[in-house]
Amino acid sequence: MTKTFLARLTAVAAPFVLALGLGSAPQLAGAQTPAAPQVAASAAVAAPAPVAVPEKPAAPVAAPAATAKVDNPYGVGALWSQSDAVAKAVLAILAIMSMGSWYVIVTKLLEQMRMGRQARAVDNEFWNAGTVQAGTARLAEGSPFRFIADAGMQATQKHDGLRGKVDFADFVDLCIHRATERVQRRLGNGMSLLATVGSTAPFVGLFGTVWGIYHALTAIGVAGQASIDKVAGPVGEALIMTAIGLAVAVPAVLGYNWLLRRNITVMDDVREFSGELHSVILAGSAAA
């Protein structure tokens, strides 16, 4: 009986206990909710403020390389465009001198090389011929050796009249010697130009130098002050004139000395041929 009564009492009281528990749960939650902001506030106070880290300055961006070409206001081009008629005339004279000297150097060198080949041809062809006429025909047209051989042959044919009163050996020697001297004069053509350019080009450049200094002094007098921008142009013009004069003179002097030495070597071959030709002609005339 007692157990039955307790079971029934428990079944009746269970809903009331459940309702009471559900009613007290919001109150407990409300009591605990205000504590959260307090904890957050205390955490905010306790936490140290973040230290600002200075940002690393960005590396400077390299400027693009300048591609525009800066013109030199004191170069040769500026000298020609800004100079007066006198300076341009000096430059033109020096240019003509330079071209003339180089033309002579190149042409004389080629002529000397050609005569060297012709001298070797004389040894291989002329002296192996049966007669002077046959040997002369083997030589190239325009060759100085053929010119001398023709002069020797003509001497044997012109030894008559007043010329016949001269000894035959002396007359042949005279004709061959005259032809040899003509070859030497022709070989020396242009050498005087090299000597003239080598001796006068520095003074022509010096004249341009003096003219440039005159312009520098004039610019200083007009400006009233010796600033670098007023003096640089005329002084640079003077220095360029000096350099050009030396650049024209030095090759001319060196070329003159070099070609003169080569002329001596070539003329030795020519004179050797002339002497041997003279002896051959005299021997052939005596045999005839």
Side-chain angles (χ1 to χ4, degrees):
M1 293 290 291
T2 304
K3 293 180 180 180
T4 305
F5 177 78
L6 290 176
R8 291 180 179 178
L9 181 61
T10 303
V12 174
F16 292 99
V17 175
L18 179 62
L20 181 61
L22 293 175
S24 62
Q27 294 179 358
L28 295 174
Q32 294 178 357
T33 302
Q38 295 178 0
V39 174
S42 61
V45 172
V51 179
V53 179
E55 297 182 357
K56 184 178 181 181
V61 180
T67 57
K69 183 179 180 181
V70 180
D71 295 333
N72 184 8
Y74 307 115
V76 179
L79 169 62
W80 178 262
S81 61
Q82 299 175 5
S83 59
D84 55 2
V86 176
K88 290 181 178 179
V90 172
L91 288 175
I93 292 173
L94 291 175
I96 293 173
M97 285 183 172
S98 179
M99 290 186 295
S101 61
W102 280 109
Y103 174 79
V104 171
I105 291 173
V106 174
T107 54
K108 300 307 293 184
L109 180 60
L110 294 177
E111 183 180 3
Q112 291 171 352
M113 295 173 62
R114 184 173 60 253
M115 291 182 66
R117 293 192 301 268
Q118 292 169 351
R120 291 189 294 270
V122 168
D123 294 335
N124 297 329
E125 298 179 3
F126 183 82
W127 300 119
N128 294 327
T131 60
V132 177
Q133 294 84 350
T136 303
R138 293 182 181 182
L139 299 178
E141 292 289 342
S143 171
F145 299 95
R146 180 162 184 169
F147 175 74
I148 295 173
D150 288 336
M153 292 302 302
Q154 292 176 4
T156 60
Q157 300 173 2
K158 294 180 179 180
H159 190 254
D160 55 4
L162 294 176
R163 296 188 184 96
K165 298 180 179 180
V166 181
D167 184 70
F168 179 77
D170 294 339
F171 182 73
V172 173
D173 180 64
L174 176 63
C175 294
I176 294 177
H177 178 74
R178 186 186 299 121
T180 304
E181 292 297 324
R182 290 180 180 177
V183 171
Q184 184 176 5
R185 286 195 299 269
R186 186 176 67 181
L187 190 62
N189 290 339
M191 300 298 292
S192 59
L193 176 63
L194 293 179
T196 302
V197 171
S199 59
T200 59
F203 295 100
V204 175
L206 181 60
F207 175 78
T209 302
V210 174
W211 191 257
I213 294 175
Y214 163 75
H215 274 243
L217 296 177
T218 303
I220 293 173
V222 172
Q225 57 182 357
S227 58
I228 190 64
D229 57 338
K230 300 296 183 182
V231 181
V235 172
E237 174 183 329
L239 296 177
I240 291 175
M241 289 292 187
T242 304
I244 294 176
L246 294 176
V248 173
V250 171
V253 174
L254 295 178
Y256 176 83
N257 295 328
W258 183 43
L259 294 176
L260 186 62
R261 187 180 69 251
R262 290 176 61 89
N263 280 349
I264 295 174
T265 303
V266 172
M267 286 306 301
D268 288 341
D269 296 335
V270 172
R271 291 191 178 93
E272 181 180 353
F273 173 78
S274 300
E276 293 179 358
L277 177 64
H278 179 257
S279 300
V280 169
I281 292 176
L282 292 182
S285 301

